[in-house]
Amino acid sequence: DWISTGVDTEYFSPSANHERPAHLVFSGSMDWHPNEDAVRYFIGEILPLIRADIPDATFSVVGRNPSAELRAISAAAGVEVTGTLDDIRPAMAQASVCVVPLRAGSGTRLKIFEALAMGKAVVSTTLGAEGLEMESGRHFVAADGTRAFADAVVALLRDEHRRRRIAAAGRALVDARYSWAQVALPFERHCQTAVDRYATVPAATSRHPHLSP
């Protein structure tokens, strides 16, 4: 048995009143190569397609330790790179859509949990959402390939009702399955089972009778 990773749904909570129109956000530690690769890919290939349809689209990279080269690439493309923040929530709250264009890497996608908890619509590659029990088109949008990813983002930016509906469903999902309160339940059950099993084990008798009182 395994225990799912969760998210603090009280700390990460919706704040739609801070949203910027047509603003996209990627969050994650930028000293992890798959994250840097994802951002480079997005800036170089996907963002130009989005801006061809929505010229005012903006993009922020939220995460610690971005390289000097990534900062230079971002500056040339008019992309904001925040670097380390004491609190990432205000930067994420500005997103109309959170993007996860991962092409490599593995592990739990905390960035998706955090975005969903904040009531954000998410567009992710299939790999980016790997291992998460979510339904594309309902809780988030899965898109693979440069054009498909760009089209998915543009469609959400242009359809506020659908964007809000997916964002609300994503928030409901993390509340129901991935909040710390929900994740703690199976952990508590496992702990109680271990305690119960230990309590039923008879005390070992001494192997050294001469040590007995």
Side-chain angles (χ1 to χ4, degrees):
D1 293 337
W2 56 278
I3 306 298
S4 172
T5 299
V7 62
D8 187 340
T9 52
E10 294 184 6
Y11 184 82
F12 291 99
S13 58
S15 53
N17 56 315
H18 295 106
E19 182 177 309
R20 288 167 50 187
H23 185 58
L24 312 173
V25 170
F26 176 92
S27 66
S29 299
M30 296 315 301
D31 50 5
W32 191 50
H33 175 71
N35 280 345
E36 179 167 342
D37 172 76
V39 169
R40 285 172 176 261
Y41 168 52
F42 189 83
I43 292 173
E45 300 185 35
I46 300 174
L47 187 58
L49 297 179
I50 294 171
R51 285 175 168 167
D53 287 332
I54 304 179
D56 294 335
T58 54
F59 180 43
S60 290
V61 180
V62 179
R64 67 175 184 266
N65 298 330
S67 66
E69 185 176 1
L70 180 62
R71 285 186 179 276
I73 291 170
S74 299
V79 170
E80 176 191 28
V81 178
T82 68
T84 302
L85 296 174
D86 292 334
D87 185 351
I88 67 171
R89 292 174 299 172
M92 290 182 65
Q94 295 179 12
S96 296
V97 175
C98 288
V99 296
V100 187
L102 284 174
R103 302 189 294 180
S106 60
T108 304
R109 315 308 190 187
L110 291 177
K111 60 173 64 66
I112 292 183
F113 282 156
E114 292 168 354
L116 295 180
M118 292 194 69
K120 297 300 178 181
V122 173
V123 177
S124 174
T125 58
T126 300
L127 178 65
E130 187 177 45
L132 305 183
E133 295 183 8
M134 305 187 302
E135 181 182 338
S136 178
R138 181 181 178 188
H139 307 114
F140 82 116
V141 177
D144 295 306
T146 304
R147 172 55 69 179
F149 202 103
D151 287 349
V153 172
V154 168
L156 285 178
L157 292 178
R158 287 180 168 170
D159 189 341
E160 182 178 0
H161 177 72
R162 178 169 175 256
R163 189 171 77 246
R164 302 284 183 206
R165 185 177 70 248
I166 290 175
R171 169 68 194 193
L173 176 70
V174 294
D175 268 333
R177 294 187 184 178
Y178 299 113
S179 68
W180 285 128
Q182 293 300 317
V183 169
L185 292 176
F187 179 71
E188 290 175 359
R189 287 196 296 268
H190 282 294
C191 290
Q192 188 60 54
T193 298
V195 169
D196 293 343
R197 286 176 179 173
Y198 180 79
T200 60
V201 175
T205 56
S206 173
R207 295 176 180 268
H208 303 284
H210 63 279
L211 296 178
S212 301

